[in-house]
Amino acid sequence: MEQYEPDRLSPAQVAAVRRSFRTGRAALSRRSLLRASAGGALAVGGLGALSGCGIPPAGNTRGGVSAEDHSKEEKSVNFSNWTEYMDVDDSGREHPTLDAFTKRTGIKVTYTEDINDNTEFFGKVKPQLAAGQDTGRDIIVLTDWLAARLIRLGWVQKLDPANLPNAFTNLSAQFRNPDWDPGRAYSYPWQGISTVIACNKKALDGVEVRTFSDLLDNPRLKGRVGLLTEMRDTVGMTLLDMDKDPAKFAADDYDAAIARLQKAVDKGQVRRFTGNDYTADLAKGDFAACLAWAGDVVQLKADNPDIEFLIPDSGYMTSSDNMLIPNKARHKTNAERLIDYYFEPQPAAELAAYINFVCPVDGVKDELAKIDEDAANNPLILPDQAMQAKSRAFRSLSAEEETEFEEKFAKLTGA
């Protein structure tokens, strides 16, 4: 088990957090990516103060610490998630899939949208987790790199397979064995996040784009290319283009990828590095081509027929947001029943139809087609086997690598 130590963010990591608040996934809601304004009211300084407060290690072993399970006598479950990451009815007040779960099981779900950013949320819950206390939450949803860290620290509970028959059976192959949780012993994906190449056909004006190299090297695209401020996405796509596996690369491979990106920056090929705000540049044609997140592309294409996407033969990056049960959660069995529920085809399809992210559940196409036939046939929501085979994940990083790699990427982007 990794021993807990107070985090002291390096300047590069602080810059990465600020980028996330300003333009990255933390700045915009899951459902309103094209309408929300960038921003972030949370102060990075607060994170530093929390991380340096000297909280003692929890002293537990890998696998987490369970509390007495009150699921039988307390028919409830407390679910913390990101904003705009759940289906909502026309009134904007009710969540149909959660309501259906309660009606079937009698378990009331207290659903809270209190996760705005991984780093900020970690700062919020780590004093309790490090002290071996209940956070008041039975399910939390975290992006893979932070989920990995909580598992290493022993701060989340091992799941009971007996309560997860649908999850075990219906989990898509591309999400089954992340290096940070092989076999999904501690987590199950809520949604997948794919990084692809998006193009504005009108702005391309006949330029053909087939590979990531085209973005970096084609002189006809000079100054009209966008890359992402998320290190794992931009560097991961570069590694793939260099025939390196982002799940297995060495430090020298990372440095070579940074050098390749630096060359493109130096010659003016890259207009800028962005978070979600690339959507405006792409729609206007300021970007002829850019790296993009699949959920954005689905919505962009609905409004602009000139927007297209492509999956390079070299592959594409996939990450995931994941459901975990923290230590000392009072309703572990109820939480597992809710996790399993979202791996049934019908509720999974209802969720996918609303939020348009990559559905991690096999067997939902027929159900999704009843709701939205276009969504059911969209590989950005339901990747086919050929597309899944091209999916790659960025490997887990040690704390030392995280600091070193972010510093190098920050220098590249000018952050």
Side-chain angles (χ1 to χ4, degrees):
M1 182 190 72
E2 177 180 298
Q3 186 80 338
Y4 171 75
E5 295 179 359
D7 300 310
R8 298 188 183 279
L9 300 182
S10 70
Q13 289 172 311
V14 170
V17 173
R18 286 187 174 129
R19 287 199 307 273
S20 184
F21 285 142
R22 186 171 64 250
T23 59
R25 290 174 56 207
L28 298 170
S29 73
R30 291 297 202 270
R31 185 64 179 173
S32 306
L33 292 171
L34 307 186
R35 296 182 296 275
S37 60
L42 294 164
V44 174
L47 301 183
L50 261 176
S51 61
C53 62
I55 302 165
N60 57 338
T61 58
R62 182 181 173 95
V65 175
S66 61
E68 181 180 350
D69 192 350
H70 296 272
S71 292
K72 288 185 178 180
E73 65 271 22
E74 297 179 6
K75 294 294 185 180
S76 63
V77 61
N78 298 318
F79 185 179
S80 282
N81 204 347
W82 297 72
T83 58
E84 306 291 344
Y85 216 11
M86 179 67 75
D87 56 304
V88 179
D89 69 1
D90 291 340
S91 74
R93 296 188 297 270
E94 304 295 330
H95 302 291
T97 57
L98 289 176
D99 293 343
F101 173 79
T102 297
K103 184 176 181 180
R104 181 202 297 180
T105 64
I107 298 170
K108 180 182 178 182
V109 182
T110 300
Y111 183 74
T112 308
E113 295 180 334
D114 62 345
I115 303 178
N116 298 299
D117 172 78
N118 286 288
T119 304
E120 180 267 339
F121 186 76
F122 181 65
K124 183 188 299 184
V125 299
K126 72 181 178 182
Q128 295 155 301
L129 291 172
Q133 298 172 352
D134 180 13
T135 66
R137 301 167 176 87
D138 300 305
I139 299 176
I140 55 178
V141 178
L142 301 175
T143 305
D144 42 21
W145 64 267
L146 184 54
R149 185 172 193 191
L150 264 64
I151 292 170
R152 290 197 306 269
L153 287 166
W155 288 357
V156 294
Q157 298 185 53
K158 194 168 186 177
L159 302 173
D160 184 350
N163 294 328
L164 297 159
N166 293 300
F168 179 81
T169 300
N170 296 331
L171 176 60
S172 296
Q174 71 182 109
F175 296 105
R176 279 193 177 272
N177 286 293
D179 67 346
W180 48 271
D181 188 15
R184 292 287 182 178
Y186 298 89
S187 69
Y188 270 92
W190 176 247
Q191 297 291 294
I193 307 160
S194 294
T195 303
V196 300
I197 295 175
C199 302
N200 184 316
K201 290 188 296 182
K202 185 176 181 180
L204 282 177
D205 194 25
V207 177
E208 187 174 48
V209 174
R210 290 186 175 180
T211 68
F212 186 62
S213 288
D214 291 332
L215 271 64
L216 300 183
D217 299 330
N218 191 326
R220 293 180 62 187
L221 296 178
K222 183 176 180 179
R224 298 191 296 140
V225 169
L227 302 180
L228 293 169
T229 55
E230 296 294 335
M231 179 267 288
R232 288 166 176 81
D233 293 324
T234 293
V235 175
M237 291 292 282
T238 308
L239 287 167
L240 285 170
D241 192 65
M242 298 169 66
D243 200 27
K244 299 293 183 180
D245 187 349
K248 300 177 181 178
F249 70 91
D252 288 346
D253 299 323
Y254 183 90
D255 289 343
I258 291 291
R260 176 154 167 67
L261 290 165
Q262 187 68 60
K263 183 179 178 181
V265 170
D266 291 344
K267 66 183 180 182
Q269 190 76 6
V270 179
R271 184 181 183 92
R272 66 190 186 103
F273 290 82
T274 73
N276 280 113
D277 51 330
Y278 69 81
T279 56
D281 294 87
L282 184 63
K284 290 187 298 183
D286 291 340
F287 286 160
C290 65
L291 293 183
W293 290 308
D296 294 357
V297 177
V298 172
Q299 298 181 51
L300 281 167
K301 281 179 63 65
D303 295 330
N304 188 338
D306 288 326
I307 304 301
E308 296 288 352
F309 76 94
L310 66 98
I311 304 296
D313 288 341
S314 58
Y316 68 101
M317 297 302 297
T318 297
S319 57
S320 57
D321 288 329
N322 308 274
M323 296 177 282
L324 307 103
I325 300 177
N327 285 356
K328 296 298 181 76
R330 287 179 62 86
H331 312 109
K332 181 174 185 286
T333 299
N334 291 346
E336 290 167 337
R337 291 183 69 182
L338 183 56
I339 292 171
D340 194 60
Y341 167 75
Y342 278 104
F343 281 84
E344 296 179 17
Q346 183 175 348
E350 291 182 40
L351 182 64
Y354 188 84
I355 64 177
N356 295 158
F357 275 70
V358 180
C359 180
V361 183
D362 281 341
V364 303
K365 186 168 185 176
D366 290 344
E367 292 293 336
L368 185 54
K370 297 175 185 177
I371 306 168
D372 185 338
E373 191 168 351
D374 289 340
N377 293 313
N378 191 330
L380 296 180
I381 298 174
L382 295 183
D384 58 24
Q385 289 186 350
M387 185 168 169
Q388 287 188 32
K390 293 183 178 182
S391 171
R392 298 291 182 270
F394 204 89
R395 71 169 173 83
S396 299
L397 301 178
S398 67
E400 293 77 13
E401 287 178 322
E402 181 81 30
T403 299
E404 178 186 352
F405 291 175
E406 283 288 4
E407 285 176 350
K408 292 176 179 177
F409 189 69
K411 183 178 179 181
L412 168 75
T413 63

